[in-house]
Amino acid sequence: MENSGAEAIRVVALGNDGDGIAQTPQGRVFVPGTMPGDEIVLASQTGTQGVLEQVVTPGPDRVTPVCSLFGTCGGCRLQHMALPAMMAWKAARVTEALKRAGFTTLPAPATRQVSPHGRRRVDLAFRRMDRQIVLGLHRRRGDVVDMTECALLDPTIFALLDPLRQMLHSLPAVHAGGDIQINLLDSGPDLLIAMDGTPDANDRRILAQFSKTHGIPRISLRTQPPETLALTGPVFHHFDTARVVPPPGAFLQPSREGEDAIKAAVLAGLPRKGLKAGIIELYAGCGTLSFALAQHAKVLAYEGDRAAFACLKQASGGTRVLPALRDLNRQPVMATELGRAGAVVLDPPHAGAGAQMAQIVAGKPRHIIYVSCNPAALQRDLTPLQQMGYRLESLTVIDQFLWSAEVESVCVLTLPGTTRPNRR
């Protein structure tokens, strides 16, 4: 429906995906690029989706986007929103999820927002277009937008983009395009590439030279398992005092600042007493939290991904980290074991803890520290804990996905009558 000449309408809230919500005669409408307080005119409306024509009067927290690609590149959705307002909105999303889970008394959330230019993990697409390589992110349901600037990426990663364009253009194995994941490890950038051709000896020679020239220890091909295409130096990363060798495409927290904030909130939530029984860590990954936790107690660290488990196991010698390979959805750690732990720490995937949650509820561990990247899954997983009588002792909300709708949180829970967590 075309809305030419329509009267201005007011945006009253943000949806979970970061689109503004306004009320029209046709009903509620979601409008990308708007925010609460904006008086806007729609160019068109189809069902519940609106297209912005003009902001007549900006809301109090609207700012000028920091990147000229905003609105075209698919990487940021909220650069028109002031950072303090964004932090408050994300904290409100988490607290609302906890209220819906049944918690009526909530501690004031501690908040942490990372700095721009700190993202050390990115997935990019590349395409051959007009005899050049376009490298960047997809616009919403559209083509790849060339990433000519970015306020998110670590400068080390961004400086690689132009050389990558030139190198990918020269690769015979790249026909129409592919995608590339970059992890900035302590040893340097780690690349995992998928392309639409099969790399031959000439491709490998080009990749090896590129690695040497730009200080990239490893380039891998996205196969199952990944195949190393170029290896020009040691690959390593540090989690506290442990030196690990992450597999290609390993999960890292997107920023060092964000990782440090999560770790600090988890460690602050550990109980003062009772850790002689040890800590059970679920979804341990390559050890982001494991080695920090091991400075306080023995850690039985469960991980279901074989490559991440192998990384964790290789680095765990001489530490108090005891890795265990286990698919926690198919074979959850049982209630009796969880109930004996001094604390249970879990950082589940975006979908939540799944079948593992029922065993946690049944085991009634005294202390639970739940790290979440999804308020909806947080609400679903914590609802039965609230019903069992768990109390929310502390809440930390972390914005490490700047200008997006994503939010991290750390919830510290105890059963009444148990030792309260250390307020360190």
Side-chain angles (χ1 to χ4, degrees):
M1 179 191 70
E2 296 298 328
N3 282 346
S4 179
E7 293 184 2
I9 58 176
R10 185 178 179 85
V11 179
V12 296
L14 284 181
N16 288 338
D17 290 334
D19 293 340
I21 303 175
Q23 194 70 31
T24 73
Q26 290 74 35
R28 189 172 64 169
V29 59
F30 293 84
V31 188
T34 65
M35 58 176 302
D38 284 349
E39 298 282 346
I40 66 170
V41 172
L42 294 180
S44 63
Q45 180 182 344
T46 304
T48 60
Q49 300 301 310
V51 177
L52 178 67
E53 178 176 296
Q54 180 187 2
V55 176
V56 178
T57 304
D61 295 312
R62 175 175 280 276
V63 296
T64 301
V66 298
C67 177
S68 66
L69 295 178
F70 177 66
T72 304
C73 169
C76 294
R77 303 185 78 159
L78 291 165
Q79 278 194 12
H80 57 291
M81 189 175 193
L83 288 176
M86 189 186 319
M87 184 74 256
W89 173 65
K90 292 187 178 186
R93 286 187 62 207
V94 175
T95 56
E96 285 302 312
L98 292 168
K99 289 177 183 177
R100 289 193 295 269
F103 293 96
T104 56
T105 302
L106 297 179
T111 58
R112 175 72 181 273
Q113 192 168 49
V114 303
S115 305
H117 300 291
R119 190 174 177 93
R120 60 181 179 179
R121 172 169 61 87
V122 66
D123 291 283
L124 301 173
F126 57 91
R127 298 288 182 269
R128 285 197 186 274
M129 299 180 70
D130 299 326
R131 298 183 180 180
Q132 64 179 354
I133 291 290
V134 173
L135 174 66
L137 299 169
H138 287 274
R139 71 181 79 225
R140 282 191 177 187
R141 297 178 291 276
D143 297 329
V144 179
V145 177
D146 207 29
M147 188 177 282
T148 53
E149 62 177 295
C150 184
L152 288 174
L153 287 183
D154 185 289
T156 300
I157 294 180
F158 186 77
L160 269 181
L161 299 190
D162 271 343
L164 270 171
R165 290 181 182 95
Q166 298 173 32
M167 184 273 291
L168 291 168
H169 181 68
S170 71
L171 277 184
V174 173
H175 304 314
D179 58 77
I180 181 167
Q181 178 179 324
I182 305 173
N183 271 343
L184 185 57
L185 306 179
D186 290 340
S187 56
D190 191 42
L191 275 55
L192 180 62
I193 299 179
M195 58 189 85
D196 54 353
T198 302
D200 60 14
N202 188 35
D203 293 287
R204 293 169 189 267
R205 178 190 59 78
I206 293 170
L207 289 165
Q209 185 58 53
F210 181 79
S211 293
K212 291 176 183 177
T213 301
H214 296 282
I216 301 170
R218 180 176 64 188
I219 300 178
S220 305
L221 182 66
R222 183 171 290 163
T223 53
Q224 194 57 253
E227 176 188 353
T228 301
L229 296 176
L231 186 64
T232 58
V235 177
F236 60 87
H237 195 68
H238 292 92
F239 293 127
D240 295 274
T241 58
R243 175 167 157 149
V244 304
V245 182
F251 173 81
L252 293 179
Q253 292 294 343
S255 72
R256 178 76 70 177
E257 273 188 272
E259 178 184 303
D260 289 345
I262 292 171
K263 190 184 306 179
V266 169
L267 296 181
L270 290 174
R272 290 192 183 95
K273 299 178 181 179
L275 286 181
K276 288 184 179 180
I279 298 168
I280 290 180
E281 183 189 10
L282 308 173
Y283 314 97
C286 293
T288 304
L289 299 173
S290 310
F291 299 102
L293 291 169
Q295 296 177 21
H296 300 268
K298 175 183 67 177
V299 179
L300 183 53
Y302 288 96
E303 173 54 41
D305 180 83
R306 288 185 177 275
F309 165 75
C311 169
L312 180 61
K313 185 173 179 61
Q314 185 180 37
S316 63
T319 73
R320 292 196 287 182
V321 176
L322 306 173
L325 177 64
R326 194 149 168 176
D327 184 328
L328 296 175
N329 201 43
R330 295 183 178 182
Q331 189 184 7
V333 179
M334 300 307 289
T336 50
E337 183 177 355
L338 293 163
R340 292 193 296 264
V344 173
V345 177
L346 65 158
D347 185 359
H350 191 268
Q356 181 61 72
M357 207 63 216
Q359 295 300 321
I360 294 174
V361 172
K364 300 180 183 179
R366 293 172 295 173
H367 304 279
I368 299 173
I369 304 176
Y370 188 115
V371 182
S372 170
C373 62
N374 180 358
L378 179 71
Q379 175 189 339
R380 182 173 58 251
D381 284 351
L382 264 56
T383 294
L385 293 179
Q386 188 278 330
Q387 293 169 349
M388 288 294 298
Y390 277 86
R391 180 170 54 208
L392 184 64
E393 298 286 358
S394 69
L395 169 63
T396 303
V397 181
I398 301 156
D399 180 14
Q400 66 168 333
F401 294 91
L402 288 183
W403 301 307
S404 80
E406 304 299 325
V407 59
E408 301 266 351
S409 60
V410 179
C411 295
V412 178
L413 303 109
T414 65
L415 276 173
T418 61
T419 304
R420 296 179 67 86
N422 185 7
R423 304 294 187 190
R424 285 177 285 205

